[in-house]
Amino acid sequence: QAGVLAAAGLYALDHHSGRLNEDHARARRIGAALAASPCVADVLPVDTNIVVAVLRDTVPVDRFLGGLREQGVLAVPFGPGMVRLVAHLDVDDPGTDRAIAAIGTLRP
């Protein structure tokens, strides 16, 4: 099974590593939107394509994630009071814009 996973990793390196900068830029845009959200207390440094936000104590993770999900944006819990969003191959500029718009609609 490790060989199958390694093959997937090698394929990604051979065919998609050139566009990682795009994912990282999209993640930074999402991070900036989260930092501006009244629901978010803090955003961890966005150094890759992964964005982690710490929600305010008054904002339940499930409610925040549900509000995103209703608008077609998927994110996951990432520890107590935290959520994680990832920019990846299937997230293009319109998808990033949709995520940013969805984040902007959420209120504590």
Side-chain angles (χ1 to χ4, degrees):
Q1 289 182 356
V4 172
L5 293 175
L10 288 173
Y11 182 88
L13 288 172
D14 289 343
H15 295 92
H16 301 295
S17 63
R19 56 171 305 287
L20 284 176
N21 288 336
E22 296 173 31
D23 291 341
H24 294 178
R26 289 178 179 124
R28 285 190 298 273
R29 290 181 55 216
I30 293 168
L34 286 165
S37 170
C39 296
V40 175
D42 192 21
V43 177
L44 278 58
V46 182
D47 297 322
T48 64
N49 64 326
I50 298 171
V51 185
V52 176
V54 179
L55 302 180
R56 295 194 184 282
D57 291 339
T58 57
V59 179
V61 170
D62 290 344
R63 185 167 51 105
F64 186 86
L65 295 176
L68 291 177
R69 190 178 321 105
E70 288 173 3
Q71 299 179 68
V73 177
L74 300 179
V76 296
F78 196 70
M82 300 169 75
V83 296
R84 183 182 78 157
L85 293 90
V86 179
H88 52 78
L89 181 63
D90 295 326
V91 178
D92 56 10
D93 285 331
T96 301
D97 294 340
R98 188 172 66 247
I100 290 168
I103 291 164
T105 67
L106 302 178
R107 297 290 174 257

